[in-house]
Amino acid sequence: MAMKLEILGKEVIKPDSPNHLQTLHLSLFDQFLPSTYVSAIFFYDDQPNQEEILVHRLKNSLSQTLSLFYPLAGRIKEGVVVDCNDEGALFTKERADVLLSDVLRNPSDADLVHKLIVSPDHADPGTWPLLHVKVVFFRDRGFAVVVSASHKVCDAASLSMFVRSWTKAAKGFADTVNPEFAASVCYPPADISVEFPPLLEHKTKSKTKSFVFGPLMIEKLKIRASCGLLAPQATRVESITALLLRCMTKARRPKTEAVTEFAITHTMNLRPRVPLSFLPRKAIGNFFFLPLLKETSESKMNIQETVSKLRKTKEELNELITKDSNSDEAKERITSAMLSFLCEVSPEAETYAVSSWCRMSFYEVDFGWGFPVWVAPGSVDKTQVVLMDARDGEGVEAWVTLPETDMAEFEHDDELLVYATPSPSIRTK
């Protein structure tokens, strides 16, 4: 289904009070990340009586929130620092020519959803805003709030913290804990002379689909994934990740003989894994660990073996953290391990990235008009998986992006469809 968006207005929103920090140094791994946005789209079925009241409340509360998250109102300078100049975030108001129900009727096909996402101007990263917010009103009722923050400054957990702080301001409450932008404290500041190894570029068209794993099927998959494990039962994220990787590599294997290696990364959020002396829980930035799994193209990607390997990477990270009580030395070990992993990736390897957004409370984002009926990630790159909590809080929605030819096989994989279904229509009031 085609969807047209009419721009009703654009405005720059500045913090309601000036900040006192002039520059924020990006970390070494901020530099490695592409100039793109981490985005989430929140769909609401409730329709306030007046659109202007909604927009006014969102803009005023956004201005208040930017006073806490002030780097998001700045601009990247020379590729290695954020100039915290309070230049502002971009706020766009749009109207869609489709019904909200049109979007919710077939959520497994991401084409409609991705039309709501904004893309930064890659030509000059110093000019595009680090935060872009859109509110989109649908033809009948309902609206979507699209929040896009620069991946140079935010990861998914940071985005969640920002949005939840914004909702408090929208409802008239002040956030009691100030965020801390401390990426360069955890990881070394960026050095523009550092060159990271290039990753394989995918020049073929990609396709994104979403699949839902219900609570019952998750339990069955966990039992299968835990068979033979000496450790505790596999988690839902471990089990789903292992199954998806098995099916993704199966879909890829018959079509290319040139690829001899799969490079798989599974992003780990450092915040819940390290002590508070190491990293505050309200730390804003890219605080992740990126372990690497390497498999040959002949590998069958056995689910139990993959879970064991994923678990081993967690154990290795725990060892890096707890080897001694010196947090500075632990940071150096983690940085060294990350650099080592990145250098091990062959440019010819087929890369797969898995990121879990589960337990990040995206369905609790209430600006004063109720909780969202659906939340979708807008940051799903090629050959990538994003896992999110389903609306019921028990299931998991997996967003999978693959080359079109691979997706045609992946979405019909019998083994996948035993446990997952394409995202069903979303019921509203």
Side-chain angles (χ1 to χ4, degrees):
M1 173 182 291
M3 176 174 66
K4 293 182 180 180
L5 295 171
E6 176 190 1
I7 297 178
L8 303 178
K10 285 187 177 183
E11 185 177 343
V12 173
I13 306 297
K14 297 179 180 289
D16 69 350
S17 60
N19 79 84
H20 301 290
L21 180 67
Q22 297 301 312
T23 58
L24 172 72
H25 288 275
L26 298 178
S27 77
L28 180 66
F29 297 112
D30 295 334
Q31 179 189 344
F32 164 72
L33 291 166
S35 297
T36 188
Y37 285 127
V38 178
S39 304
I41 312 171
F42 304 88
F43 294 88
Y44 298 89
D45 186 41
D46 287 335
Q47 180 71 62
N49 292 330
Q50 297 182 18
E51 291 181 3
E52 290 306 317
I53 293 177
L54 181 150
V55 171
H56 179 74
R57 181 188 293 186
L58 290 178
K59 289 194 294 188
N60 278 1
S61 55
L62 177 60
S63 177
Q64 296 170 31
T65 309
L66 284 174
S67 295
L68 297 175
F69 294 79
Y70 52 86
L72 291 177
R75 298 293 183 268
I76 292 177
K77 184 179 179 181
E78 298 177 353
V80 293
V81 297
V82 175
D83 183 3
C84 302
N85 55 13
D86 290 342
E87 191 167 331
L90 184 60
F91 187 99
T92 305
K93 177 183 175 183
E94 297 181 349
R95 188 175 307 282
D97 66 345
V98 300
L99 306 176
L100 173 61
S101 58
D102 292 334
V103 179
L104 301 182
R105 189 175 295 119
N106 187 24
S108 64
D109 192 334
D111 288 347
L112 271 180
V113 174
H114 285 176
K115 289 182 179 179
L116 300 173
I117 297 297
V118 295
S119 297
D121 180 5
H122 294 278
D124 186 1
T127 61
W128 53 272
L130 300 185
L131 178 68
H132 188 167
V133 172
K134 290 205 302 182
V135 57
V136 180
F137 294 98
F138 293 98
R139 202 175 74 199
D140 55 342
R141 55 177 287 123
F143 61 97
V145 177
V146 186
V147 186
S148 301
S150 170
H151 207 343
K152 295 284 188 181
V153 182
C154 288
D155 56 11
S158 302
L159 183 70
S160 174
M161 283 187 273
F162 168 77
V163 175
R164 282 182 287 148
S165 181
W166 183 15
T167 61
K168 290 180 182 178
K171 291 183 288 188
F173 302 104
D175 205 338
T176 56
V177 180
N178 288 341
E180 296 187 42
F181 289 82
S184 63
V185 175
C186 179
Y187 290 128
D191 183 342
I192 200 167
S193 65
V194 174
E195 293 186 8
F196 289 95
L199 299 180
L200 180 66
E201 292 187 8
H202 299 276
K203 298 180 180 179
T204 57
K205 285 187 176 182
S206 62
K207 187 78 172 177
T208 300
K209 293 276 188 178
S210 64
F211 301 84
V212 171
F213 293 80
L216 179 59
M217 289 297 105
I218 289 176
E219 289 304 314
K220 291 183 177 180
L221 180 57
K222 286 167 62 177
I223 292 171
R224 175 184 172 185
S226 303
C227 183
L229 289 181
L230 298 177
Q233 187 183 48
T235 67
R236 61 176 187 161
V237 170
E238 290 172 340
S239 305
I240 292 172
T241 297
L243 174 64
L244 291 175
L245 289 173
R246 174 175 168 81
C247 297
M248 291 167 74
T249 53
K250 274 196 297 180
R252 186 63 175 161
R253 192 175 297 109
K255 299 179 182 63
T256 175
E257 297 179 357
V259 175
T260 59
E261 183 178 83
F262 296 121
I264 300 162
T265 62
H266 187 219
T267 307
M268 295 184 186
N269 181 9
L270 283 176
R271 294 171 183 82
R273 293 181 167 88
V274 298
L276 287 173
S277 60
F278 186 116
L279 193 64
R281 290 292 177 262
K282 276 251 180 176
I284 304 298
N286 290 296
F287 297 107
F288 56 77
F289 185 66
L290 204 64
L292 176 69
L293 298 182
K294 293 195 294 184
E295 300 285 348
T296 66
S297 58
E298 289 78 23
S299 172
K300 301 299 183 184
M301 295 294 292
N302 177 276
I303 289 178
Q304 292 88 348
E305 291 179 2
T306 301
V307 168
S308 295
K309 291 176 181 178
L310 291 172
R311 188 156 289 180
K312 184 178 179 181
T313 63
K314 293 180 182 179
E315 295 169 355
E316 291 171 348
L317 174 58
N318 290 336
E319 185 176 344
L320 292 174
I321 295 170
T322 61
K323 188 174 182 179
D324 55 52
S325 58
N326 190 316
S327 62
D328 289 335
E329 290 185 6
K331 293 172 186 177
E332 290 179 5
R333 288 193 296 270
I334 293 174
T335 301
S336 178
M338 286 264 285
L339 287 171
S340 176
F341 292 146
L342 290 171
C343 291
E344 287 181 27
V345 179
S346 167
E348 289 76 34
E350 188 77 17
T351 58
Y352 295 91
V354 181
S355 180
S356 173
W357 292 19
C358 294
R359 310 299 188 200
M360 291 189 184
S361 305
F362 283 110
Y363 275 96
E364 297 176 12
V365 174
D366 175 11
F367 291 98
W369 298 283
F371 296 119
V373 295
W374 189 41
V375 182
S379 323
V380 188
D381 297 323
K382 297 176 180 178
T383 62
Q384 183 176 347
V385 174
V386 173
L387 304 179
M388 294 189 70
D389 293 317
R391 184 182 176 185
D392 62 8
E394 298 181 359
V396 171
E397 189 166 12
W399 290 75
V400 181
T401 302
L402 289 171
E404 284 186 346
T405 52
D406 292 12
M407 181 59 75
E409 183 169 335
F410 174 84
E411 65 180 329
H412 296 107
D413 188 299
D414 291 338
E415 190 173 12
L416 171 68
L417 297 178
V418 167
Y419 301 99
T421 59
S423 294
S425 298
I426 297 167
R427 295 181 180 179
T428 57
K429 294 179 181 179

